[in-house]
Structure formats: structure tokens, C-alpha cells
Amino acid sequence: MTPASNANLVTDRPTFVTHLECGLTGQRYEADQLHGLSDAGRPLLVRYDLDGVGNALDRETLAARPRDLWRWRELLPVRDTANIVSLGEIDTPIVALDQIGKALGAAPGELLVKDEGRLPTGSFKARGLVMAISMAKELGVTAIAMPTNGNAGAAAAAYAAQAGMEAIIFCPDDTPEINVREIAAQGARVYRVNGLIDDCGKLVREGCAARGWFDLSTLKEPYRIEGKKTMGLELAEQFGWDLPDVIFYPTGGGTGLIGMWKAFKELQALGWVGDKLPRMVAVQAEGCAPMVRAWEQGERHAARWEDAHTIAAGIRVPQAVGDFLILDAVRESNGRAMAVSDADLARAVDDTATSDGLLLCPEGGATLAAWRQAKSEGWVKDGEIALLFNCATGLKYPLPDKSRTLDRNAPVDWRAI
Amino acid sequence: MTPASNANLVTDRPTFVTHLECGLTGQRYEADQLHGLSDAGRPLLVRYDLDGVGNALDRETLAARPRDLWRWRELLPVRDTANIVSLGEIDTPIVALDQIGKALGAAPGELLVKDEGRLPTGSFKARGLVMAISMAKELGVTAIAMPTNGNAGAAAAAYAAQAGMEAIIFCPDDTPEINVREIAAQGARVYRVNGLIDDCGKLVREGCAARGWFDLSTLKEPYRIEGKKTMGLELAEQFGWDLPDVIFYPTGGGTGLIGMWKAFKELQALGWVGDKLPRMVAVQAEGCAPMVRAWEQGERHAARWEDAHTIAAGIRVPQAVGDFLILDAVRESNGRAMAVSDADLARAVDDTATSDGLLLCPEGGATLAAWRQAKSEGWVKDGEIALLFNCATGLKYPLPDKSRTLDRNAPVDWRAI
């Protein structure tokens, strides 16, 4: 029996994928076949018959479905319901940071966080990987490999376990400890590599060539972006189809930013949202800011960032294969790319926990640090709604020990407690 | 501005609390006043004008509200919307453990987990504490104290931070490290005590007497149970108002089991669920099983369990002030109390992660170990739907390091990877 709340997982619905196309050249590729990058070495984007979607689905029908990612089925690539894997991809909540906001003159409700740490495996990577693994299953894949800074590997391992698929994961040797361990706990083989994520990516390419594994690297297969797209779809509905003014997004590989922008365009084509779209802010760390440098220099592609370093492992991505898609979205939206220091992002994490009770991940802290700067500069104006993305639960990252001890057998001086 | 998805947090709705009464003697206490235990030293239960609720609310109206705990407002105690604190108390998903279930002959969908690790601070304690802190705010409290095995303290600290309330937390010195640290990160003062949770409770009583803090211990104030009650309300709706056959609940203080049973009774009074209620199984660890002993011996109260020990810290509760409420619910439901070994609960955690990709907490693992035993015995019959509670994200608990290393500068033997 399936609980009513899981109806989206077992209900056959029409699908509308027509084809895929190269994000750079527009070259067309067939749907329902296994693909990696385009011939131009760039990400493939999935295209839909949006008129067909519009005829099959309206916002009222959507509103009556259970609140998970799979309710967007007509805008997703999975054809056969039997290929859906799931660990409970619920809508993530939007939490107001009213105490933090007040300090910089934001009115209640003007500073919001979408808390993606509530997804399976504790991060927004679940959105991309649930789609990638479901599609891999649909297209006959039995073993996947990927490089990761931690959370993506954890999500891949979890869904691969459920799909009965072999998973081989490569991560930098200073990846957050919890990530390395959860990947292995969920049945994957995990290797610590003396290098950065693109070094791991190189190993994945070699291994896939040697062993026939499917390469699940960020944007190297077409479906993670479709999963991440649901962040944009979900946001639109949560805001009553009137999107916030600015979105601050922690940007490593950028799949989510690209995916959200794609979602907004598809919703516009459906007539479900209007002309006004959010200004997209790509937030990076000062120690690894290839998008910021390219944005400032007016480049469409971003050169590799040498000696990348930041405590926010998730955005330590020296080079992104979807660079131009990120920069295009930032520019088209009248957004910007911003770099923040490790000190500022760490302070943002501390402040949010003590003031509003929400424990952000370091990358989430980076978005708050960027908002603080943009708000101080007047780039975020009074009355504007800003939405930050907290991409993972703060519980995955080391916290200092600020506890004290008390001996239950000794007299307590209660005035000193 | 408030996103449409947060409408429950800002919409005034009628409330129906009439009074409180002692869970043991039925003695009546006034609503809208600060209370601890009853004169008999037992928990107070909140009572509602359920006819009034039935006139004000129906299941269709509920279905149209955003999916969070606050949509049950007419069945909750908070009078003034302005006193609601919130970190995003979304509905938690129900995940099928089909691979694990298959090994013991369960059909797909017969073995389900309600994954409470998706709540704020990563555990079901958020349900109780969001209500307790909101009510403490409503009733003028400015400082709270409590003993904790970890997760309750974390939730209390988070909501107290948002409410601007002082929080002083006492925990056994072997409480999971992440809990101790997150409590402090969220602005509370936290003390490690050389003792168990009831030793910490004794310190809380002394401190409250000396300093005037409000005692937020399990069941010592009336509102945590009302928050935990939403597990039962939510389940009923998620199952289309036809509840599962058996619920396996990891039982320490037992607030959730008591709360769910109270929810089911209120839903019956409203006519929203029928006669058939789930059999309630109180799951404990072999090293701390006071409820199991009392249930087996036919006692209504459970004596303190000496030398309590288990790796599942959340159910290491030697003595529970609501013992009779737990045992009454177990008996009335034709359920049972079961103890499982640490080895079995740890194995259940491993198996679930590798087979179905879901990382349970140790207490969640205990419920699976109990189901395995009950299913093998035939007590859970073929075709029966069993629901386990995973009370916290598995990410909060230590995992072994099963990673390997790979040198990116050396040749790789891919056949060995």
C-alpha cells in the first residue's frame, strides 16, 4: 500500500520531453538515449513540449497534489513511473531571518532562507541526484561514478543504493568527514584523493573509460539540472507565483542557479509567472571565485581558479563546465556575482544560529554574508524580498565545543550558572 | 512579506482550549496560566472543545492549507498568532523500505518509515519544543531550563533563540557530541553532567527553584505533548484518514506515543477517523527497558531502571513521569512493549542505509529491529502496514570510516577499484 501522501510516486502521468540540445550551440540530440556532454563538450539541456504541458496541467491541479518534487512530473524527464527512486523529496520550508535582518534595516519577511537541508541526505544535492539516478535507471545504467566535494556523493550513494546500482565516488582528501562516511555507509565505494574536485573529475573520466561506469559529474549528464530545476518551480508556487526580488545562491558547479533560471523560463512560457524574474546572485568564496572574476571582466567563460581554498567545501569548484550558463543567467537577470571571505561566512553562520535559531551550512552562511554586503551597499533596496539558499543542514559541519561541565555530586553555585 | 507557503504562521484562527486536567486523577486546571505537573505530580493534558473544532474546521479546509504543523491550529494551544515561533515545521515524509522489507516477506509498501529527521534541528523534538516555547512566550516566560539526552536540548535552544529567551540545558556527559555543540551554537548555556538524564532533571529542579527558570522537562509542562500530537494528526491525513496497522515508536520519555494516542482519540471524537486505531509498540533498548518490564509484569507504573545503558541515547531514560500514559496506550491499542539489543539496532541502521539508502538514527534502527522480531514471530501479519518512526537524522551519529585513498599522481589499477 502507498500512503496517500506518496501518490506522486506511483501515479502515471503524461511526459513531454521532446529532445535535448547543447546549451552552447543548440545542436539537437535525441531523448530517451544515454548522453554525456554535447559534441562541443558542453552541457545538454532537456527540452519539453510546453504547449502540451500547458494543456495537460494547470496550477490548481498542481496545488491538489502532495507536496514533493515528483508533483512536477509533466516538467520532468522520467517517462516510466516504475523508474522513480525516492527517499522523500519534500518541499523545503522558507524560514524568515527576522532578527538578523533587523540589524541591517530589513523589515520582517524581507530576508528569507530556503532551507534545503531538509531533503534526503541533508542537502539540495538530493534534487539533482534523485533525477539523475532515476534517469540512469530508466536508461539501463548499472554503475555510476562521480567526483564530489561531499554532499553530491552522499545523495548519489543513497539513491544508487535504492536503485540497486553500483556507485564509485572520488572526493578531495579534505572533504567534510561526515560526507565521506555517509557515502560509504550508504553502500558506495569512496576514495579520498590528494587533489581538488576537478582532479577527482579527471579520475572519474579515466575510470569510466576503463570500467564502463556512467559519469554522473555535475552537468556532464543532462538530468541533474532537471532535478535542481524544481527549486525554481517550488519557489514560484511557494510565493504564490510572484517570485522574490533577489536570489542569493552559493555557486560551485552552478547546477541550481542554471536549473532555477531554466525553471523560470519554462514557467513564463506556460504563462504561470509574469515578466518580473528575480535578480540572480552567484555567491562564491574569495579563495575560489572564478565566476566573480569572469563576471567582473565581462567574460562569458571562466578560467580555472588556481590554488582554490575556502572552508565552504561545496563552493570550492575551480572550474565549471556550465560557466557560460551561470554567467548568462546572472547577466540576463540583472544580477551579480559576489565573493565573500571565509571569516564573513563563518560569522554569518554563528549569527544566524544565535539570533534566529537556524544553523546554516558554510555555503548558506556565504549567501547571508553576500546579502549583508549587498544590503549595506543599497544594491538590495528597502522593501525588496531577498531569498538565500541554505544548501545543506548545518549539522554536517564541525562546530566548536562551548559546553561547560557540572559535577552532580558537588554543591552548585546557582548564581554562577 | 510572508510567502504564501507560510500562511499558517500569520493567519489568526479560532482556538478551542477549554482547560487542562491531570492525566492520572482528572483534576481540572485553568487554561492560559503557567503550569508544571499536577498536584498529584503527574502530567497535565490539554483539553479542547472538540464540538467547536468540528464546527470550525473540516478535512477539506485542512487539505487546502500549507503543509506544516501549524495548520492544525484549532487543535493546538497557542491563542495569539504573534506568539508562534517557527523554523519551518514541515510535514515529514513517509519512506518505503521495500528492499529491507522484502527479506522478511513484506510486500512493497508494507514497511514504512516516517522520517522525522527532516524537522528543524534534525529531530522530532522540534514538534514538542516549538509548541512548548511558543506557549512559554505566550505565558510570559523569559528563561527556560531542561535536561536532555541531546536532541530535545537542541530544539529547545533553537526556538528559545528565536523567541529571545534564555536557555540553560543539562545533559549527561556522554551525550552525542553534535548535540552538545549545536545547543551551544544556538545560543544556550549547556552543561555536561556526570550522570543520566534523571540526574540532570534533578539539577534542573534545583536551578529552577534557585533562579526562577521555567522547567521544560519532558511532560513537566503541558504543551510538548500537544506538539508531538501532530505526529498522529499528520499521519492520519497522510494515510487518507485510514491509519496503518502497527506503529513502532522508540520510547524514552514517551511524549510522542502519548501524543499520538491523544491525537487519534481527538480525531475519533471529530469523526475524522474510524474505530480501527494502530497497535502501538513501545520500543526500548535491552539496557534500559523500564516500560517493557512493567508491561510484561502487568504494572501501570514503571520502576526506575538501574544501570541504564544503550548506544541509543534518546531512549536511555531510566524513569518516565508519564509511564502510566505510555502503558495505558500500549494496552488499549492491543500493542506491546519490546526491547532490542544494541547489536540488533546497529545492524538495522547499517542494513537500511546499504539496502534502501536511508540513514536512520540508532533509535530509528531500534524500531526496525523490533519490527523484524515482531514480523518473524508473526505478530505483524502478512498484508499489515507497519510504520516505524525515525526520530532524528542519522547524520547526527558517529559513522565508521570505510573510505580508501587514491594518489592522483600515481598510475591507477582500475580493475582493483
Side-chain angles (χ1 to χ4, degrees):
Chain A
M1 200 201 87
T2 302
S5 57
N6 285 357
N8 296 330
L9 306 182
V10 292
T11 307
D12 291 325
R13 286 173 178 149
T15 64
F16 294 90
V17 175
T18 53
H19 64 285
L20 288 69
E21 61 184 37
C22 172
L24 189 65
T25 68
Q27 188 186 346
R28 186 184 170 107
Y29 294 79
E30 294 306 308
D32 308 309
Q33 297 179 3
L34 209 55
H35 291 293
L37 291 174
S38 74
D39 293 341
R42 291 296 174 169
L44 292 179
L45 301 176
V46 182
R47 298 301 179 196
Y48 298 81
D49 166 17
L50 292 174
D51 289 339
V53 173
N55 290 332
L57 189 64
D58 58 33
R59 293 180 292 181
E60 292 67 36
T61 305
L62 267 170
R65 294 180 181 174
R67 287 292 185 282
D68 64 31
L69 171 158
W70 293 104
R71 80 177 182 285
W72 301 100
R73 184 74 184 280
E74 288 86 346
L75 285 163
L76 296 176
V78 179
R79 302 280 197 195
D80 184 347
T81 306
N83 293 318
I84 290 178
V85 293
S86 175
L87 290 163
E89 297 73 29
I90 49 173
D91 280 15
T92 60
I94 296 171
V95 180
L97 297 185
D98 287 346
Q99 321 299 328
I100 285 282
K102 193 159 55 180
L104 279 173
E110 284 181 9
L111 179 61
L112 304 170
V113 179
K114 191 155 170 68
D115 188 5
E116 295 277 296
R118 311 302 188 80
L119 288 161
T121 70
S123 91
F124 69 164
K125 297 289 184 181
R127 291 186 191 266
L129 272 308
V130 74
M131 207 57 59
I133 297 283
S134 293
M135 286 305 295
K137 185 178 169 192
E138 186 151 283
L139 298 171
V141 170
T142 57
I144 61 100
M146 66 184 291
T148 185
N149 279 323
N151 283 322
Y159 289 112
Q162 188 172 105
M165 216 174 268
E166 202 181 353
I168 306 96
I169 311 286
F170 301 84
C171 61
D173 52 11
D174 59 351
T175 296
E177 195 58 32
I178 179 74
N179 290 137
V180 182
R181 294 176 183 227
E182 68 177 318
I183 292 168
Q186 289 156 185
R189 303 202 291 283
V190 57
Y191 290 87
R192 300 184 198 243
V193 176
N194 52 339
L196 294 177
I197 189 165
D198 48 2
D199 300 310
C200 295
K202 187 162 165 289
L203 287 168
V204 167
R205 283 196 297 281
E206 288 177 27
C208 288
R211 295 288 304 272
W213 306 325
F214 185 63
D215 186 343
L216 220 65
S217 303
T218 304
L219 294 174
K220 288 195 181 165
E221 62 76 58
Y223 304 109
R224 281 172 68 175
I225 195 173
E226 295 303 295
K228 281 284 189 73
K229 187 177 81 174
T230 62
M231 291 193 296
L233 303 174
E234 189 173 303
L235 261 188
E237 197 191 28
Q238 287 182 311
F239 276 87
W241 310 100
D242 180 16
L243 288 159
D245 299 291
V246 196
I247 290 177
F248 288 82
Y249 189 82
T251 305
T255 319
L257 195 150
I258 298 165
M260 274 194 282
W261 196 245
K262 184 171 188 284
F264 298 153
K265 296 293 185 169
E266 290 176 0
L267 292 172
Q268 279 189 329
L270 287 165
W272 294 359
V273 300
D275 287 340
K276 200 204 87 179
L277 297 185
R279 309 202 294 283
M280 305 297 284
V281 182
V283 179
Q284 300 202 300
E286 285 180 354
C288 183
M291 297 301 143
V292 180
R293 186 173 58 191
W295 181 75
E296 286 173 349
Q297 296 179 353
E299 305 284 349
R300 196 176 179 212
H301 292 284
R304 186 174 197 272
W305 188 275
E306 300 302 326
D307 302 320
H309 60 88
T310 164
I311 55 171
I315 52 177
R316 196 181 58 178
V317 178
Q319 188 158 33
V321 68
D323 52 2
F324 64 107
L325 295 170
I326 298 168
L327 290 160
D328 286 356
V330 166
R331 290 186 175 116
E332 191 181 341
S333 73
N334 296 310
R336 61 193 286 197
M338 297 178 69
V340 300
S341 71
D342 277 10
D344 282 353
L345 71 86
R347 190 168 60 89
V349 171
D350 281 352
D351 292 351
T352 309
T354 53
S355 297
D356 283 285
L358 187 65
L359 193 60
L360 301 173
C361 64
E363 297 79 7
T367 65
L368 176 60
W371 175 85
R372 279 173 158 167
Q373 187 185 322
K375 178 80 179 164
S376 312
E377 292 169 0
W379 189 82
V380 172
K381 297 176 195 63
D382 289 349
E384 286 193 326
I385 310 293
L387 183 86
L388 317 178
F389 268 88
N390 183 48
C391 39
T393 170
L395 295 168
K396 284 193 163 189
Y397 306 89
L399 293 169
D401 182 9
K402 300 186 201 162
S403 69
R404 285 165 270 197
T405 56
L406 199 65
D407 181 354
R408 74 185 169 98
N409 299 313
V412 179
D413 176 6
W414 285 106
R415 290 164 307 180
I417 298 290
Chain B
M1 199 203 87
T2 302
S5 57
N6 285 356
N8 295 330
L9 307 181
V10 293
T11 307
D12 291 326
R13 288 178 176 145
T15 64
F16 294 89
V17 175
T18 54
H19 65 284
L20 289 70
E21 59 184 37
C22 173
L24 189 64
T25 68
Q27 187 187 348
R28 185 184 173 107
Y29 294 79
E30 295 305 307
D32 307 310
Q33 297 179 5
L34 209 55
H35 292 292
L37 291 174
S38 73
D39 293 343
R42 292 296 175 169
L44 292 179
L45 301 176
V46 182
R47 297 302 179 194
Y48 298 82
D49 166 16
L50 292 174
D51 289 338
V53 173
N55 291 330
L57 188 64
D58 57 34
R59 291 180 292 180
E60 291 67 36
T61 305
L62 268 169
R65 294 179 180 173
R67 287 290 184 285
D68 65 29
L69 170 158
W70 295 103
R71 80 177 183 284
W72 301 100
R73 186 73 184 283
E74 287 88 345
L75 285 164
L76 295 176
V78 178
R79 302 283 198 193
D80 185 346
T81 307
N83 293 319
I84 289 178
V85 293
S86 176
L87 290 163
E89 297 74 27
I90 49 172
D91 280 14
T92 59
I94 296 171
V95 180
L97 296 184
D98 287 346
Q99 319 302 327
I100 286 283
K102 194 159 51 181
L104 278 173
E110 284 182 9
L111 179 62
L112 303 169
V113 178
K114 192 157 169 67
D115 188 5
E116 294 279 295
R118 312 299 189 81
L119 288 161
T121 69
S123 91
F124 70 165
K125 297 290 184 182
R127 294 186 190 264
L129 272 309
V130 74
M131 208 56 59
I133 297 283
S134 293
M135 285 305 295
K137 185 177 170 193
E138 184 150 285
L139 297 171
V141 169
T142 58
I144 61 98
M146 66 184 293
T148 185
N149 279 324
N151 283 321
Y159 289 112
Q162 186 171 105
M165 215 174 270
E166 202 179 355
I168 306 94
I169 311 286
F170 301 84
C171 61
D173 51 12
D174 59 353
T175 294
E177 196 59 33
I178 180 71
N179 289 139
V180 182
R181 294 176 184 229
E182 68 177 317
I183 292 168
Q186 290 156 182
R189 303 202 290 285
V190 57
Y191 290 87
R192 298 182 200 245
V193 176
N194 52 341
L196 293 178
I197 190 165
D198 49 359
D199 300 309
C200 295
K202 186 162 167 288
L203 287 168
V204 166
R205 284 196 296 283
E206 287 177 30
C208 288
R211 295 287 303 273
W213 305 324
F214 183 63
D215 186 343
L216 219 65
S217 304
T218 304
L219 294 174
K220 287 194 179 164
E221 62 76 59
Y223 302 109
R224 280 172 67 175
I225 195 171
E226 295 303 296
K228 281 284 190 75
K229 186 178 80 175
T230 62
M231 290 193 296
L233 303 174
E234 192 173 300
L235 261 189
E237 198 192 28
Q238 289 182 309
F239 276 86
W241 310 99
D242 180 15
L243 288 158
D245 298 291
V246 196
I247 290 177
F248 288 83
Y249 189 82
T251 306
T255 319
L257 196 152
I258 298 165
M260 274 194 280
W261 196 245
K262 185 171 187 285
F264 297 152
K265 295 293 185 169
E266 290 175 2
L267 291 173
Q268 280 190 327
L270 287 164
W272 294 0
V273 299
D275 287 341
K276 197 205 89 176
L277 297 183
R279 309 201 295 281
M280 305 296 284
V281 181
V283 178
Q284 301 203 298
E286 285 180 354
C288 182
M291 295 303 143
V292 180
R293 186 172 57 191
W295 181 74
E296 287 173 349
Q297 298 179 349
E299 304 284 348
R300 195 177 180 209
H301 292 286
R304 186 174 197 273
W305 189 274
E306 301 303 326
D307 302 318
H309 60 90
T310 165
I311 55 171
I315 51 175
R316 197 182 56 180
V317 178
Q319 189 158 34
V321 68
D323 52 1
F324 63 106
L325 295 170
I326 298 168
L327 291 161
D328 286 358
V330 167
R331 289 184 177 119
E332 193 183 340
S333 72
N334 295 311
R336 61 193 285 196
M338 297 176 71
V340 300
S341 71
D342 277 9
D344 282 352
L345 69 86
R347 189 168 60 89
V349 170
D350 282 352
D351 291 349
T352 309
T354 52
S355 298
D356 283 286
L358 186 64
L359 193 59
L360 302 173
C361 65
E363 297 80 6
T367 64
L368 175 60
W371 175 84
R372 280 173 158 168
Q373 186 184 323
K375 179 79 179 166
S376 312
E377 293 170 358
W379 190 83
V380 172
K381 297 176 196 64
D382 289 349
E384 287 194 325
I385 310 291
L387 184 87
L388 317 179
F389 268 87
N390 183 47
C391 39
T393 169
L395 295 168
K396 285 192 164 189
Y397 305 89
L399 293 169
D401 182 8
K402 299 187 205 162
S403 69
R404 286 165 267 195
T405 57
L406 199 64
D407 181 354
R408 72 184 171 99
N409 299 314
V412 179
D413 176 6
W414 286 107
R415 290 163 306 179
I417 297 290

